[in-house]
Amino acid sequence: MSGWAIFGQAVLAVVGGGIVGLVFRGLDRKIAARMQARIGPPLRQPFLDLGKLLVKETVIPKTAVAWVFSAMPFLAVLASFTALLYLPLGPFRPILEGYGDAIVVLYLLAVPALAMALGGFASGSPLGVVGAQRELVMLMSYEFPLAVVLVAVAWRLSAQGIAPAFSLGTIAQNPLWPWVGPLGVIGLVVLLVTMLVVTPAELAKIPFDIPEAETEIAGGLMVEYSGTYLALFYLADVVRTLVMAGLVVAIFIPYGIAGVLGLSGAAAAAVDFLFWLFKLFVVMVVAVTTVRVGMARLKVDQVARGFWLWGTAASLAGLLLLALDKVVMG
Amino acid sequence: MKEKRAQDPNDPVLPAVEERELVYGGLEAGLGEVFEVPIGPIHPALKEPIRLTFKVRGERIVGVQVRTGFAHRGIEFMGMRQGRNLIQILYLSERICGICSISHPIAFTQAVERAAGIEVPPRAQYIRVIISELERIHSHLLWAGVAAHELGFDTLLHLTWRVREKVLDILEELTGNRINYAIPIFGGVRRDITPDQYPKVREALRYYRGLLNELLDAFLRDPTVEARTRGVGILEPKEAEELCAVGPTARASGLRKDVRQDRPYLAYPDFEVKAITPEDYGLTPMGDVYDKIVVRLLEVGQSIEIIEKALDNMPDGEITSFPKIPALLAHLKKAEGEGLGWHEAPRGEVIHYVRLVSGEESPLVWKVKAPTYSNLMSWYPMFEDQEVADIPIIAACIDPCICCMDRVYLVRDGKEEILTKEELLRLSWEKTRRMAR
């Protein structure tokens, strides 16, 4: 593919990703509101929020380290959108396929969190510092299970003789479910559950919204951000939700329905793309909306202990089951 | 507390600039060092202005300073000024607190009735009890919702506040207002509860009785709520006793302390109220936040029982011993003496002291003690060695009512002053002399 074609696709993906992300955020808020017996905001509310933030004054506190404070929102939003470009978009291969693989996505997912933490440290507010410390602890606790899930799946693929195993495009085209035996299915389910638990942590949503914790530290690492910078963080968060859901879909449920409906060509691609969006939506509702409605916020030590102990144990168990399955199935 | 310092006249609430820089942690604070985290006077976790300055090492609290006085309104001063009669002051007393807006009038009317020797007809006493117990239901549900919000469990907040609407509707039906009911008046109550209103109240009580188990389940069986409240903000019984904690704060620590039980007033002797502790739910009292949830929710059930009993045994007769206001005012103007009124507000014991002088419409002295004033000190042991994440729920667990509590705030020549013990003693002598005349 020529450079210009990739560039064009990337622009399309970024604009589309932003819009879809904001629509999904609206749906998330509406569904959460209905679950809480509220009416909830209109679907376009995230667009209004973003627009309002963009025209508001951006305040940089006197006590902040100005360049770090200002650079971090851009870093967060760039990393989130770049991660989107490495994701298989339903029937389409990842736009940047061949320029990096799943490991890059892992890093790109960690970058916004790191950026927020640095922004919090640089904001010069004690609440921001507390939030940043919490963000770093969170990052250290949920990244390992996430990495193990990816490695387990990639290893099983390479054991099957499929290369490049670490490419998300390959992973999405070769779902593991048909090849594994009963042990492997259990292993995959364990990995899927781990992934679904990691998702709200990665996105800092209740019960893992500890770095922001509105009632505790008044927004934590976001406390000093305003105007355009806050809008950028908002956008990064919205896109990251898509990326995390897309990751779950790519690894575990990459199936389309065009084949079942007997479609082909452009119609098949369109239907599969819509179905992919629907899958993203389902994953978001299951892993983010229902969880954040149904739980209280945990404390950072509880989360760290939980992920280091149970998260790690679950992901390793999944890996072990996949390995055993490979031995049993031959 | 900080030393005396200049107050910026344009910025009376925010701390002065040098203090703000003092609390600045920033990048230099790094990990593992002690730095200050200011909470308030304006903070999402606090519904009212109060300043808590925490010394924090990482996530651990190593020290706390509480500074009050941001919401002082000088209500007693307004009441003691010449020219206001007691009925006008009654309206003021109603506005000390928006949530326990019948607790203060009940204590205040009792104090005045004792000072002026006014009898309250039994039916009026029952009506006062019913309204104050309805208020307890709404206040405890309100608190439960706030507590859930502080834990980041907004769903529980929305659901609790939704069911709270029912009791507010009943209060509106009975008194005309959702809050600030203006029901007690010296010598009785302003409005009768008519028999055709009984079924509506009973229906609401049935609603809450059916809901109570669901509420207990939602709060006490939820693993995340338990993880956030068990062993958090522990107040030992000994500490609760020494620090004079009152109300659910003390009862959650296992102290059977309830004004309705210890010094029954109005019609409360008829109901034989027993103070509720977590033991009544089959738990050993630990004095943590979880126990405070238990106590408050159980008290909702207790209030339901009291109201049902009151409706069943409602005595007939007058609702006030002074149907005509001018006669009442004339009687109060002639009255001389002092009186103490008390009431178990949803947050604990509230006390009003009044001294009347013959020939004057205003009282010479009116002193209010709100429950939060007694409970505030229990924050210190509760915050000890807890985590930053626990601050909101611990601050909320005594159900603080800051503007009820802010009774004195001294500003002299534009300077805020902190009084020492000796100065306070001197002031109290002067006041006694003034009262003795």
Side-chain angles (χ1 to χ4, degrees):
Chain A
M1 231 179 337
S2 78
W4 282 110
I6 293 182
F7 180 73
Q9 286 177 4
V11 169
L12 208 65
V14 165
V15 174
I19 292 171
V20 171
L22 288 170
V23 171
F24 273 29
R25 173 57 51 88
L27 286 168
D28 166 65
R29 289 179 65 176
K30 193 83 185 171
I31 293 169
R34 284 300 156 92
M35 287 176 178
Q36 294 174 334
R38 291 186 290 126
I39 294 168
L43 265 187
R44 65 177 189 285
Q45 191 63 43
F47 291 92
L48 300 177
D49 288 350
L50 191 72
K52 180 101 178 209
L53 283 177
L54 282 173
V55 299
K56 283 278 182 184
E57 189 194 355
T58 307
V59 181
I60 301 175
K62 269 185 196 153
T63 50
V65 184
W67 72 270
V68 183
F69 186 80
S70 320
M72 287 311 135
F74 293 97
L75 190 57
V77 86
L78 281 177
S80 304
F81 276 112
T82 315
L84 190 66
L85 303 183
Y86 282 99
L87 215 61
L89 306 170
F92 310 113
R93 307 279 296 186
I95 294 165
L96 287 183
E97 191 174 28
Y99 295 89
D101 51 25
I103 304 289
V104 177
V105 175
L106 271 193
Y107 276 105
L108 286 172
L109 277 171
V111 167
L114 271 175
M116 291 207 293
L118 275 176
F121 275 127
S123 68
S125 152
L127 298 175
V129 172
V130 173
Q133 291 174 351
R134 291 175 171 194
E135 179 73 57
L136 289 182
V137 174
M138 293 277 297
L139 194 65
M140 284 184 263
S141 45
Y142 63 69
E143 282 295 307
F144 185 69
L146 183 60
V148 171
V149 171
L150 262 182
V151 168
V153 173
W155 172 81
R156 189 67 183 79
L157 273 182
S158 69
Q160 208 67 39
I162 294 165
F166 265 105
S167 157
L168 275 175
T170 316
I171 293 176
Q173 282 199 333
N174 302 287
L176 277 176
W177 300 99
W179 299 333
V180 292
L183 275 180
V185 170
I186 299 174
L188 279 177
V189 168
V190 169
L191 291 178
L192 173 61
V193 171
T194 313
M195 193 75 183
L196 288 178
V197 174
V198 168
T199 303
E202 179 79 46
L203 302 172
K205 295 280 176 280
I206 290 176
F208 305 114
D209 68 330
I210 302 165
E212 290 171 27
E214 183 229 336
T215 48
E216 291 163 18
I217 47 175
L221 24 77
M222 292 289 112
V223 71
E224 293 292 348
Y225 277 106
S226 55
T228 315
Y229 292 165
L230 191 58
L232 289 178
F233 272 128
Y234 187 79
L235 202 58
D237 179 37
V238 158
V239 174
R240 220 144 60 105
T241 312
L242 276 192
V243 173
M244 271 314 282
L247 207 54
V248 176
V249 169
I251 297 175
F252 293 104
I253 33 175
Y255 299 102
I257 48 166
V260 181
L261 297 177
L263 297 170
S264 63
V271 166
D272 267 353
F273 185 71
L274 289 178
F275 185 62
W276 175 72
L277 287 181
F278 176 71
K279 284 187 290 186
L280 290 192
F281 172 70
V282 170
V283 168
M284 183 194 72
V285 170
V286 169
V288 177
T289 315
T290 48
V291 173
R292 84 182 172 93
V293 165
M295 290 176 98
R297 184 185 307 115
L298 294 169
K299 288 194 281 192
V300 71
D301 60 326
Q302 291 166 341
V303 171
R305 208 179 309 125
F307 273 120
W308 277 335
L309 208 68
W310 298 112
T312 310
S315 56
L316 287 179
L319 177 64
L320 199 69
L321 282 169
L322 276 185
L324 275 177
D325 181 69
K326 174 72 187 155
V327 173
V328 174
M329 302 287 287
Chain B
M1 208 166 261
K2 293 261 173 299
E3 306 80 34
K4 291 178 192 173
R5 52 178 175 69
Q7 191 88 18
D8 180 358
N10 302 321
D11 184 16
V13 174
L14 284 172
V17 178
E18 58 277 13
E19 193 183 334
R20 251 187 265 167
E21 274 167 16
L22 219 168
V23 298
Y24 155 56
L27 273 175
E28 298 99 276
L31 295 160
E33 271 176 55
V34 174
F35 62 98
E36 287 188 16
V37 176
I39 302 282
I42 309 296
H43 188 276
L46 304 166
K47 308 303 168 227
E48 289 172 274
I50 189 167
R51 178 80 182 274
L52 302 164
T53 310
F54 291 93
K55 283 200 166 52
V56 171
R57 180 182 289 124
E59 279 274 322
R60 228 135 285 254
I61 298 168
V62 292
V64 57
Q65 286 288 1
V66 180
R67 198 182 128 199
T68 65
F70 295 105
H72 178 53
R73 294 164 297 165
I75 285 189
E76 291 130 301
F77 174 71
M78 284 190 259
M80 284 185 279
R81 271 170 64 188
Q82 295 301 305
R84 281 214 166 81
N85 67 40
L86 281 161
I87 290 181
Q88 288 172 312
I89 299 170
L90 184 59
Y91 284 88
L92 279 178
S93 81
E94 185 128 24
R95 276 144 189 84
I96 291 176
C97 182
I99 299 176
C100 24
S101 63
I102 191 149
S103 302
H104 285 280
I106 281 190
F108 180 61
T109 47
Q110 279 186 83
V112 172
E113 280 153 8
R114 288 207 175 87
I118 298 173
E119 286 292 317
V120 183
R123 189 174 176 85
Q125 293 186 11
Y126 268 68
I127 292 172
R128 284 187 193 179
V129 165
I130 288 171
I131 304 292
S132 68
E133 293 304 321
L134 283 172
E135 181 192 74
R136 195 181 313 279
I137 295 177
H138 108 69
S139 174
H140 282 343
L141 289 178
L142 178 108
W143 177 84
V146 170
H149 174 64
E150 306 289 18
L151 294 174
F153 203 160
D154 280 353
T155 311
L156 216 45
L157 159 79
H158 293 303
L159 297 180
T160 325
W161 280 28
R162 191 166 171 237
V163 300
R164 173 174 166 259
E165 284 302 304
K166 187 92 177 168
V167 69
L168 290 176
D169 287 348
I170 287 299
L171 279 166
E172 189 179 10
E173 165 86 25
L174 295 182
T175 68
N177 265 336
R178 281 158 61 92
I179 55 160
N180 287 357
Y181 320 109
I183 272 292
I185 192 164
F186 311 108
V189 291
R190 275 196 330 110
R191 269 202 193 197
D192 199 1
I193 299 180
T194 53
D196 59 300
Q197 286 170 327
Y198 292 5
K200 284 178 189 160
V201 181
R202 285 216 172 86
E203 196 255 308
L205 294 179
R206 264 198 306 281
Y207 173 72
Y208 282 112
R209 193 182 283 284
L211 214 68
L212 194 59
N213 280 330
E214 276 177 49
L215 273 175
L216 283 166
D217 263 3
F219 276 93
L220 304 179
R221 301 267 155 76
D222 186 278
T224 46
V225 171
E226 193 168 344
R228 287 299 308 275
T229 55
R230 254 299 173 220
V232 169
I234 293 178
L235 184 68
E236 302 285 343
K238 196 167 149 282
E239 288 165 340
E241 206 153 13
E242 280 170 0
L243 297 171
C244 303
V246 295
T249 311
R251 291 197 280 276
S253 298
L255 300 184
R256 295 212 176 260
K257 190 174 175 184
D258 189 323
V259 192
R260 293 173 295 172
Q261 163 198 291
D262 303 333
R263 289 189 73 112
Y265 51 97
L266 296 177
Y268 278 113
D270 298 357
F271 304 112
E272 289 164 358
V273 181
K274 289 273 169 286
I276 283 182
T277 70
E279 281 164 6
D280 300 325
Y281 193 59
L283 297 166
T284 320
M286 276 177 69
D288 55 7
V289 177
Y290 189 82
D291 281 350
K292 291 178 178 79
I293 301 177
V294 174
V295 167
R296 290 207 169 88
L297 290 181
L298 290 186
E299 283 186 18
V300 171
Q302 187 188 35
S303 291
I304 295 172
E305 273 168 31
I306 293 176
I307 302 166
E308 277 179 346
K309 219 167 155 187
L311 285 177
D312 290 342
N313 306 322
M314 195 86 146
D316 292 327
E318 288 296 310
I319 57 162
T320 169
S321 42
F322 285 93
K324 295 231 165 17
I325 298 290
L328 173 63
L329 278 175
H331 180 88
L332 288 172
K333 196 169 178 181
K334 274 185 289 181
E336 167 114 28
E338 54 184 357
L340 198 62
W342 54 87
H343 176 58
E344 180 75 19
R347 288 157 182 72
E349 171 198 69
V350 44
I351 287 182
H352 280 232
Y353 169 82
V354 172
R355 187 183 163 108
L356 304 176
V357 184
S358 166
E360 292 207 15
E361 290 206 307
S362 322
L364 184 66
V365 182
W366 174 27
K367 165 82 188 148
V368 180
K369 198 226 69 172
T372 305
Y373 186 76
S374 309
N375 283 335
L376 213 54
M377 286 307 288
S378 48
W379 266 348
Y380 284 86
M382 280 198 246
F383 276 127
E384 218 167 78
D385 206 30
Q386 299 293 322
E387 288 172 42
V388 173
D390 299 325
I391 291 173
I393 188 62
I394 296 178
C397 79
I398 66 166
D399 202 355
C401 189
I402 307 300
C403 66
C404 309
M405 179 272 307
D406 269 347
R407 298 261 61 89
V408 178
Y409 190 69
L410 213 65
V411 182
R412 199 172 286 165
D413 304 331
K415 284 194 177 178
E416 168 197 340
E417 290 195 0
I418 310 288
L419 294 180
T420 60
K421 195 173 154 195
E422 287 74 29
E423 281 174 299
L424 279 174
L425 199 60
R426 185 176 53 79
L427 280 176
S428 92
W429 286 341
E430 279 174 14
K431 189 174 178 185
T432 318
R433 257 182 239 125
R434 208 165 59 232
M435 282 164 62
R437 286 214 253 199

